[in-house]
Amino acid sequence: MKIKGIIFDLDGTLIDADYDWKKVREMLDIKEGSILSNFEKLPPLEREKKEAILKKIEREHTERAYLVPGVRELLLFLKEHSIKTALVTNNTRDNVDYILSKFTLSFNVILTREDGFYKPDPKPMYEAIERLGLARDDVIAIGDSFLDLQSAKAAELPILIRKKNKDELPGADYYFEDGYDIIYYIREKIVL
């Protein structure tokens, strides 16, 4: 397999922000489905209130976030091998900008929920591929959650999932611990 691009998730994949998503879902009274999809079904006033709560929680965690080991080395490795990168996250653009500035990271394409689509829908994957100027067969996805797995599989992309969620997320093409594992995977499994 030869790849020309990678679509990354942010939270839990490139950074750890230590979210307790079960608690967040309880606070927002969301029992199933994605949080953002649930917001779409709410009356405007309730939606606005819950979005404000979520944004506050996300910002607090974003400010405490730290890089997953090997992420800097991974992004440098990809750049050295002319592999394009996209960041597709359900987080806000403001939080993404904060993280990119804090850790001096850059991507060829960045899509956030403000772009109008979000995981588990495959549309953000398709949009990232288009903006990268690549074909679907030239791209893999890397994430850590069920939403990442669903989105990538619906877009028919190979998906690498973080090992910490391996038991909960069967069906990934590879499980990784950190950025160093992804470099290993690319060196061993992918034609450069």
Side-chain angles (χ1 to χ4, degrees):
M1 173 182 193
K2 182 163 178 63
I3 62 161
K4 297 178 183 174
I6 297 180
I7 301 172
F8 288 98
D9 171 54
L10 179 64
D11 299 293
T13 302
L14 299 176
I15 63 165
D16 275 322
D18 298 327
Y19 285 100
D20 181 346
W21 286 113
K22 184 178 178 185
K23 184 177 176 183
V24 172
R25 294 173 72 79
E26 286 173 6
M27 288 174 63
L28 297 170
D29 193 31
I30 294 176
K31 298 184 183 12
E32 59 185 41
S34 82
I35 292 171
L36 298 177
S37 296
N38 272 273
F39 284 175
E40 290 179 352
K41 302 171 192 169
L42 298 174
L45 210 55
E46 186 179 356
R47 178 181 179 162
E48 194 174 303
K49 182 181 174 187
K50 289 189 177 187
E51 283 176 340
I53 292 168
L54 179 61
K55 283 182 180 179
K56 182 177 186 281
I57 293 166
E58 287 174 326
R59 187 56 183 205
E60 290 170 357
H61 283 81
T62 294
E63 290 176 357
R64 294 192 308 256
Y66 52 94
L67 273 182
V68 169
V71 165
R72 282 189 203 287
E73 293 83 353
L74 169 61
L75 294 174
L76 180 62
F77 173 82
L78 297 175
K79 189 173 184 173
E80 288 171 352
H81 288 85
S82 301
I83 297 173
K84 295 180 180 180
T85 57
L87 182 65
V88 173
T89 178
N90 286 354
N91 209 323
T92 65
R93 182 63 192 224
D94 186 47
N95 286 338
V96 168
D97 289 343
Y98 178 88
I99 291 296
L100 297 182
S101 175
K102 179 178 178 177
F103 297 112
T104 55
L105 305 176
S106 66
F107 297 85
N108 300 102
V109 171
I110 298 169
L111 296 171
T112 67
R113 67 178 176 238
E114 286 92 350
D115 289 298
F117 30 66
Y118 37 83
K119 301 173 278 185
D121 196 303
K123 289 177 188 168
M125 298 294 176
Y126 296 141
E127 183 68 19
I129 292 166
E130 184 177 319
R131 290 189 191 185
L132 287 170
L134 299 173
R136 182 178 46 82
D137 291 342
D138 296 329
V139 178
I140 64 171
I142 299 178
D144 74 308
S145 72
F146 186 61
L147 298 179
D148 298 321
L149 183 67
Q150 283 183 305
S151 186
K153 289 296 184 184
E156 298 180 38
L157 294 174
I159 178 80
L160 283 61
I161 292 288
R162 194 138 176 229
K163 276 184 188 174
K164 67 179 182 171
N165 298 327
K166 184 177 181 177
D167 294 337
E168 300 164 25
L169 298 173
D173 297 285
Y174 181 78
Y175 294 93
F176 68 94
E177 186 69 38
D178 54 27
Y180 301 112
D181 279 352
I182 298 169
I183 293 170
Y184 171 80
Y185 175 82
I186 293 169
R187 282 188 174 141
E188 295 296 316
K189 305 286 185 188
I190 296 173
V191 178
L192 293 174

